[in-house]
């Protein structure tokens, strides 16, 4: 068979193995057609085990059992515990009376399980398998369709409210009757089903039983359709399906809005990139990459979300503190240690870091000390031999130093030299007054003598009052010098010297002191920025954005942000400052003030699904004043079910029906000669004549359908037909009332099934009430049925 048929057959074998054994580790591997059958068997087996484990967990939660791990799963990571815990979440919401809403962040299947248990439905529980009775010998006519309610004349599905869905779609006979229909595998088709066999088995001519292949290597036939005799009792109906090709459930994208896939026989919807699946598992909504942080905008750019994507808006580049903008418009680190903008103290070492700096303590000791265990201790130079004492001296250690002590003593009048030798002391120069006034001192070996002498003073000296010695003449003090104006007189022994004041130099040509321009003589060495000459000195100044430091030479940066020059945020940079704005604002042309960014105008209507309202620094999304409320994502609008929350104004005799953005109050009354058998159904009480029986409806049934103006036409909106149907049945469909503008039409799918479809686009919201009449021709007799269908076309949901 084809690959599709082979996958279906091998998948069924894997499902059966899971049902019989409850595990997939020892599943037999089939060797036919390479890995196709092995993969299908394995995956379908694993999927079935997980579904059964999840179903058991839901049942345990509803019965109040503890959600512990299964015995076969000591690690506690199975679907059993996950589904049990998630079902408990839904039961808890239900007990508190909260609205049952799925949370897509919980993931599948947890979100679906929580919603199922909260709503009280058993979406995961397969219907009970019904046994069919033994067939009767003969049946005429042969039935071609069947439902559980033999009194039901119109077959309508619960999915009628979904756009482009056909109400009353095919039932899954394989699901309802379990293993009753086929010996091995049952495959559902549209309107019927067909049987198949496990690998290495062949389907027999009866279409239900299987026998081993004689060659044991051929692919299994997946043909033949099942024919089941009719029910012997109306209490247990049977489904007898017509022969059709298996319907592609993803044809025309199925129910899915974006992408439709078949997983284990079921339709699974997914979304395009940039979208996420909604709680209904069908629709897709935009994923806001700007809110979730999934965008790739760089620092300093504004992320703007779009439908299915996003884009980045460049802002003015602003560097953080510790960085500066270079000529390539990139933020580079400021080396505070080089630019002398650090705050390290003396005996601290500055180390530059990215965007900042750090100060490290310098651990150094004074000469004569060394560092041990973090402390400075004295060095014993005598013990280490690092002293400089000569041969005739002995080293004596002191705190932080040492001294040399002589080994021998000298006689009076002698002094020991650095070599340790005894040398004569010149008492004439070493003693303050060795001789009396008028006597001259003469040194001798080991002593000295005093000899009277005649005093004669040279130029620049004169004798003292006693006439005993010559003393210097202070020319500067007595005013006998010849220094010019602006010069300073300095006395010298026997003479004097004329010097210029500090900051002046002597000019031999003019014989005067002229000012020294220190800024010219030492360019770039006196001041860090600008040098200004002054009479006898100079003065340092700094460029704008700097101020003179305490040493009068260097310039340090001024933190302009301390004076608050910016309206919002200020960043000090070396020699200047930079203003920048908080998120939602942008810097004005003056470079100081901030003005609000109108996100609503810039986004071109992509931020909010209905209306965007700009607020200072941000934006907010708004919904229509009536009929909608804001969804959890803050940008889409969700319909308010006025009927569920009781905010409608319908009377007790009316029925409230919710539509997008509003509701309708409907009144269902039966005409004369009819009685009300349910909320939506009237049946004829009596029939007066044959013509009356043919022309008046035997049953009048009300239905409500809700669609949006953007529905794709032609759209099949309603399916109608007798139930059960018999071979030879024939129907005629007519829209008697409500189609004056020709928006709708009818079409027969076969002799006993017809549909009502929307053939023309409804551009504005509009309500319709269609009277659809079905005349059934059966065994020579016409029977009339009437479906009164309320169709509400609402505006496209926000």
């Amino acid at each position: 068979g084809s690959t599709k048929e082979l996958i279906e057959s091998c998948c069924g074998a894997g499902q059966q193995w899971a049902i019989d054994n409850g595990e997939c580790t020892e599943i037999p591997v089939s060797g036919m057609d390479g890995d196709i059958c092995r993969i299908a068997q394995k995956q379908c087996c694993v999927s079935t085990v997980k579904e059964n484990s999840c179903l058991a967990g839901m049942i345990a939660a509803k019965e109040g059992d503890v959600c512990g791990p299964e015995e076969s799963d000591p690690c506690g990571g199975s679907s059993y515990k996950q589904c049990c815990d998630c079902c408990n979440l839904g039961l808890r919401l239900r007990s508190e009376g909260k609205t049952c809403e799925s949370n897509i962040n919980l993931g599948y299947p947890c979100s679906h399980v929580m919603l199922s248990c909260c709503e009280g439905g058993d979406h995961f529980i397969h219907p009970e398998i019904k046994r069919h009775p033994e067939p009767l010998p003969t049946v005429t006519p042969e039935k071609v369709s069947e439902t559980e309610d033999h009194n039901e004349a119109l077959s309508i599905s619960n999915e009628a409210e979904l756009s482009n869905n056909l109400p009353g779609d095919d039932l899954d006979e394989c699901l309802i009757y379990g293993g009753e229909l086929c010996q091995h595998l049952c495959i559902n088709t549209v309107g019927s089903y067909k049987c198949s066999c496990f690998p290495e088995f062949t389907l027999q001519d009866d279409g239900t039983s299987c026998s081993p292949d004689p060659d044991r290597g051929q692919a299994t036939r997946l043909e033949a359709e099942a024919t089941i005799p009719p029910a012997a009792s109306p209490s247990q109906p049977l489904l007898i399906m017509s022969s059709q090709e298996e319907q592609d459930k993803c044809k025309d994208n199925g129910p899915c809005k974006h992408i439709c896939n078949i997983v284990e026989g079921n339709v699974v919807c997914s979304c395009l990139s940039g979208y996420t699946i909604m709680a209904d598992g069908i629709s897709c909504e935009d994923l806001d990459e700007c809110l979730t942080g999934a965008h790739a905008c760089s620092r300093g750019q504004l992320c703007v979300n779009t439908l299915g994507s996003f884009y980045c808006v460049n802002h003015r580049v602003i560097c953080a503190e510790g960085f500066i903008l270079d000529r390539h418009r990139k933020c580079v680190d400021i080396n505070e240690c080089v630019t002398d903008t650090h705050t390290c103290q003396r005996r601290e070492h500055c180390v530059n870091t990215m965007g900042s700096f750090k100060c490290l303590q310098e651990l150094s000791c004074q000469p004569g000390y060394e560092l041990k265990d973090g402390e400075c201790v004295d060095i014993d130079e005598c013990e280490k031999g690092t002293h400089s004492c000569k041969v005739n001296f002995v080293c004596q250690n002191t705190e932080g130093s040492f001294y040399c002590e002589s080994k021998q003593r000298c006689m009076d009048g002698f002094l020991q030299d650095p070599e340790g030798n005894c040398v004569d002391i010149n008492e004439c120069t070493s003693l303050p007054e060795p001789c009396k006034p008028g006597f001259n001192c003469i040194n001798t070996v080991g002593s000295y003598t005093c000899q009277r002498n005649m005093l004669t003073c040279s130029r620049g000296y004169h004798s003292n009052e006693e006439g005993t010695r010559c003393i210097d003449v202070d020319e500067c003090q007595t005013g006998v010098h010849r220094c010019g104006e602006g010069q300073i007189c300095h006395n010298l022994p026997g003479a004097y010297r004329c010097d210029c004041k500090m900051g002046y130099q002597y000019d031999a040509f003019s014989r005067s002191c002229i000012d020294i321009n220190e800024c010219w003589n030492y360019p770039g060495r006196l001041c860090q920025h600008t040098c200004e000459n002054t009479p006898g000195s100079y003065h340092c100044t700094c460029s704008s954005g700097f101020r003179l430091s305490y040493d009068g030479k260097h310039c340090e940066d001024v933190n302009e942000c301390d004076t608050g020059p910016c309206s919002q945020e200020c960043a000090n940079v070396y020699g200047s400052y930079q203003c920048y704005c908080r998120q939602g604002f942008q810097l004005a042309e003056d470079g100081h003030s901030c003005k609000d960014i109108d996100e609503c105008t810039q986004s071109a209507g992509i931020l909010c699904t209905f209306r965007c309202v700009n607020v200072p620094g941000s934006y907010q999304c708004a919904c229509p004043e009536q009929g909608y409320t804001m969804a959890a994502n803050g940008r889409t609008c969700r319909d308010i079910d006025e009927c569920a929350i009781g905010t409608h104004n319908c009377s007790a005799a009316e029925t409230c029906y919710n539509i997008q953005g509003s509701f309708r109050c409907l009144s269902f009354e039966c005409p004369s000669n009819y009685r009300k058998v349910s909320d939506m159904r009237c049946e004829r009480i009596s029939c007066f004549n044959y013509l009356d029986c043919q022309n008046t409806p035997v049953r009048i049934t009300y239905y409500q359908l809700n669609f949006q103006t953007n529905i794709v036409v032609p759209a099949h909106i309603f399916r109608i037909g007798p139930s059960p149907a018999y071979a030879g049945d024939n129907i005629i469909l007519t829209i008697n009332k409500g189609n004056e503008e020709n928006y709708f039409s009818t079409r027969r799918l076969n002799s006993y099934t017809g549909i009502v479809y929307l053939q023309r686009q409804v551009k504005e919201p509009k309500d319709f009430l269609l009277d659809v009449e079905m005349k059934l021709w059966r065994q020579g007799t016409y029977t009339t049925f009437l479906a009164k269908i309320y169709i509400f076309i609402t505006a496209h949901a926000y």
Side-chain angles (χ1 to χ4, degrees), residues 519-551:
C519 300
W520 289 356
N521 292 347
Y522 310 101
R525 293 164 55 187
L526 300 178
C527 301
Q528 184 178 1
H529 282 188
T530 306
C531 177
E532 295 180 359
N533 186 58
T534 59
S537 184
Y538 65 93
H539 176 66
C540 295
T541 59
C542 297
S543 304
S544 176
F546 296 88
R547 62 187 174 200
L548 203 61
S549 61
Y550 66 91
D551 60 3

Side-chain angles (χ1 to χ4, degrees), residues 132 143-148 170-177 181 188 191-193 226-231 236-242 723-724:
H132 59 83
K143 295 183 181 179
V144 294
S145 72
E146 182 67 87
T147 64
E148 296 183 9
D170 173 59
L171 296 175
D172 191 341
E173 298 83 6
C174 300
L175 187 63
I176 296 177
Y177 292 101
L181 304 179
N188 183 56
S192 184
Y193 67 96
T227 303
I228 296 186
Q236 292 196 355
L238 297 178
L239 296 182
I240 304 171
M241 301 297 171
S242 63
S723 180

Side-chain angles (χ1 to χ4, degrees), residues 531-710:
C531 177
E532 295 180 359
N533 186 58
T534 59
S537 184
Y538 65 93
H539 176 66
C540 295
T541 59
C542 297
S543 304
S544 176
F546 296 88
R547 62 187 174 200
L548 203 61
S549 61
Y550 66 91
D551 60 3
K553 296 181 179 180
H554 292 86
C555 295
E556 58 186 17
D557 177 50
V558 176
N559 190 349
E560 296 86 354
C561 294
D562 291 340
T563 61
C566 303
S567 64
Q568 286 191 0
E569 303 295 337
C570 176
N572 184 55
V573 296
Y574 189 64
S576 184
Y577 66 96
Q578 176 66 55
C579 297
Y580 63 98
C581 303
R582 305 185 187 100
Q583 185 174 0
F585 294 87
Q586 62 184 3
L587 204 62
E589 290 74 10
D590 58 8
H592 295 80
S593 59
C594 295
K595 59 182 181 181
D596 176 48
I597 298 174
D598 191 344
E599 295 85 356
C600 299
T601 303
Q602 290 187 1
S603 65
I606 63 176
L607 295 177
C608 303
T609 56
F610 178 66
R611 185 171 67 248
C612 177
V613 180
N614 186 56
V615 296
S618 183
Y619 68 94
Q620 293 179 350
C621 296
C623 292
E625 295 182 0
Q626 294 181 346
Y628 291 89
T629 183
M630 185 63 67
N633 59 13
R635 55 182 298 274
T636 58
C637 299
R638 187 179 61 189
D639 173 56
I640 298 174
D641 190 345
E642 295 86 356
C643 300
I645 63 177
T647 58
H648 60 86
N649 57 0
C650 299
S651 64
E654 294 176 321
T655 300
C656 178
Y657 180 73
N658 184 63
I659 63 174
Q660 282 288 338
S662 184
F663 64 94
R664 295 289 184 269
C665 296
L666 306 179
S667 178
F668 305 105
E669 298 294 337
C670 296
S672 59
N673 197 35
Y674 287 84
R675 61 185 177 89
K676 198 169 187 178
V677 296
S678 69
D679 290 341
M680 301 294 175
R681 185 177 302 160
C682 300
E683 290 187 354
R684 191 175 60 201
I685 298 175
S686 60
C687 186
F688 301 105
N689 53 60
Y690 177 77
L691 187 61
D692 187 33
C693 291
Q694 282 194 328
N695 294 334
T696 60
V698 67
R699 180 178 302 154
I700 302 174
T701 310
Y702 289 87
Y703 302 95
Q704 300 85 40
L705 304 177
N706 189 8
F707 304 97
Q708 297 176 6
T709 54
N710 63 340

Side-chain angles (χ1 to χ4, degrees), residues 148-178:
E148 296 183 9
D149 187 358
H150 284 259
N151 297 323
E152 178 68 72
L154 301 179
S155 176
I156 302 298
S157 167
N158 292 331
E159 300 177 352
E161 68 276 4
L162 295 179
S163 60
N164 295 337
N165 233 23
L166 294 178
D169 276 346
D170 173 59
L171 296 175
D172 191 341
E173 298 83 6
C174 300
L175 187 63
I176 296 177
Y177 292 101

Side-chain angles (χ1 to χ4, degrees), residues 137-417:
T138 58
V139 175
T140 302
E142 179 185 5
K143 295 183 181 179
V144 294
S145 72
E146 182 67 87
T147 64
E148 296 183 9
D149 187 358
H150 284 259
N151 297 323
E152 178 68 72
L154 301 179
S155 176
I156 302 298
S157 167
N158 292 331
E159 300 177 352
E161 68 276 4
L162 295 179
S163 60
N164 295 337
N165 233 23
L166 294 178
D169 276 346
D170 173 59
L171 296 175
D172 191 341
E173 298 83 6
C174 300
L175 187 63
I176 296 177
Y177 292 101
E180 297 293 323
L181 304 179
C182 303
Q183 181 180 359
H184 280 190
L185 306 175
C186 177
I187 301 173
N188 183 56
T189 63
V190 178
S192 184
Y193 67 96
K194 60 182 178 181
C195 295
S196 177
C197 299
F198 294 150
E200 301 181 359
F201 286 84
T202 303
L203 190 69
Q204 299 304 296
D205 294 336
D206 59 4
T208 60
S209 58
C210 300
S211 64
D213 283 341
D215 299 333
R216 305 290 289 176
Q218 298 178 356
T220 305
R221 255 186 337 113
L222 298 176
E223 297 181 355
E225 296 171 351
T227 303
I228 296 186
S233 169
S235 61
Q236 292 196 355
L238 297 178
L239 296 182
I240 304 171
M241 301 297 171
S242 63
S243 174
Q244 299 184 35
E245 292 293 333
E246 182 178 6
Q247 181 188 17
D248 183 4
K249 297 183 181 180
C250 280
K251 185 177 181 182
D252 297 329
N253 217 33
C256 303
K257 298 300 183 184
H258 281 190
I259 303 172
C260 178
N261 298 300
I262 301 296
V263 178
E264 300 180 4
N266 298 321
V267 172
V268 177
C269 299
S270 59
C271 298
L272 298 172
S273 176
Y275 293 82
T276 181
I277 197 75
M278 295 183 68
D280 58 8
I282 296 174
S283 305
C284 296
E285 66 175 344
D286 174 50
L287 176 65
D288 194 334
E289 295 84 357
C290 299
L291 290 179
T292 60
H295 61 83
C297 296
S298 62
R299 184 177 182 181
Q301 287 184 318
L302 172 67
C303 174
V304 179
N305 185 56
T306 63
L307 284 177
S309 184
F310 64 94
Y311 66 89
C312 304
V313 179
N314 286 320
H315 277 212
R316 184 173 178 180
V317 179
I318 300 173
C319 296
E321 185 174 358
F323 294 85
I324 190 171
L325 197 67
D326 64 0
R327 60 189 180 90
H328 300 293
R329 292 185 60 79
K330 293 185 178 179
C331 293
V332 297
D333 175 53
I334 299 173
N335 191 332
E336 293 83 0
C337 301
V338 174
T339 59
D340 203 18
T341 58
H342 61 83
T343 57
C344 297
Q345 305 297 322
R346 295 183 62 185
R347 300 187 63 78
E348 285 184 334
H349 177 59
C350 176
V351 177
N352 184 57
T353 61
M354 188 59 63
S356 184
F357 64 93
K358 58 183 178 181
C359 300
L360 301 179
Q361 186 73 30
E362 290 186 356
L363 295 177
S364 59
C365 299
Q366 296 178 355
Y369 293 88
E370 64 181 349
L371 187 65
K372 281 188 179 181
D373 299 330
E375 296 182 358
C376 292
V377 297
D378 174 56
I379 299 175
D380 192 339
E381 295 85 356
C382 299
E383 181 180 347
K384 292 187 176 182
T386 59
H387 59 85
S388 58
C389 295
K390 303 299 182 179
V391 179
N392 295 326
F393 291 85
V394 177
C395 175
Q396 298 293 334
N397 186 59
T398 61
E399 192 69 25
S401 185
F402 66 94
Y403 70 94
C404 301
E405 184 179 4
S406 176
K407 294 181 180 180
Q408 60 178 346
R409 298 288 183 179
C410 295
M411 294 183 297
D412 293 339
F414 292 88
L415 182 66
Q416 208 165 30
D417 64 5

Side-chain angles (χ1 to χ4, degrees), residues 348-539:
E348 285 184 334
H349 177 59
C350 176
V351 177
N352 184 57
T353 61
M354 188 59 63
S356 184
F357 64 93
K358 58 183 178 181
C359 300
L360 301 179
Q361 186 73 30
E362 290 186 356
L363 295 177
S364 59
C365 299
Q366 296 178 355
Y369 293 88
E370 64 181 349
L371 187 65
K372 281 188 179 181
D373 299 330
E375 296 182 358
C376 292
V377 297
D378 174 56
I379 299 175
D380 192 339
E381 295 85 356
C382 299
E383 181 180 347
K384 292 187 176 182
T386 59
H387 59 85
S388 58
C389 295
K390 303 299 182 179
V391 179
N392 295 326
F393 291 85
V394 177
C395 175
Q396 298 293 334
N397 186 59
T398 61
E399 192 69 25
S401 185
F402 66 94
Y403 70 94
C404 301
E405 184 179 4
S406 176
K407 294 181 180 180
Q408 60 178 346
R409 298 288 183 179
C410 295
M411 294 183 297
D412 293 339
F414 292 88
L415 182 66
Q416 208 165 30
D417 64 5
E419 300 295 331
N421 301 314
C422 293
V423 295
D424 176 51
I425 298 175
N426 187 348
E427 292 85 357
C428 294
T429 57
S430 62
L431 295 178
E433 292 184 1
C435 299
K436 295 179 181 180
F439 288 84
N440 186 27
C441 176
I442 299 174
N443 184 55
T444 61
V445 177
S447 184
Y448 67 96
T449 60
C450 294
Q451 181 180 1
R452 184 180 295 273
N453 61 348
M454 297 301 294
L455 186 61
T456 302
C457 296
S458 61
R459 185 178 178 181
Y461 291 89
H462 62 88
S463 61
N464 59 358
E465 295 178 356
E466 293 82 9
T468 58
R469 60 189 180 91
C470 294
I471 60 175
D472 174 56
V473 176
D474 190 346
E475 294 84 357
C476 299
Q477 185 69 28
T478 58
V480 295
H481 62 83
R482 294 184 179 181
C483 294
E485 184 178 357
Q487 294 179 327
I488 301 175
C489 176
H490 288 281
N491 184 55
L492 299 175
Y496 66 93
R497 184 182 73 246
C498 297
D499 294 332
C500 293
K501 296 180 180 178
M502 182 71 68
Y504 293 84
Q505 62 183 3
Y506 183 73
D507 182 26
F509 181 76
S510 62
R511 294 184 179 181
S512 62
C513 293
I514 60 174
D515 176 51
I516 299 174
N517 192 329
E518 295 84 358
C519 300
W520 289 356
N521 292 347
Y522 310 101
R525 293 164 55 187
L526 300 178
C527 301
Q528 184 178 1
H529 282 188
T530 306
C531 177
E532 295 180 359
N533 186 58
T534 59
S537 184
Y538 65 93
H539 176 66

Side-chain angles (χ1 to χ4, degrees), residues 108-139:
Y108 181 85
C110 186
S111 175
H112 189 69
V113 169
M114 183 188 74
L115 181 63
S116 174
C117 293
C118 178
E119 293 177 345
D122 293 331
H123 297 177
F124 275 51
I125 300 178
H126 301 311
E128 179 184 0
I129 296 177
K130 299 180 179 181
R131 304 286 179 177
H132 59 83
E134 294 297 323
L136 293 177
T138 58
V139 175

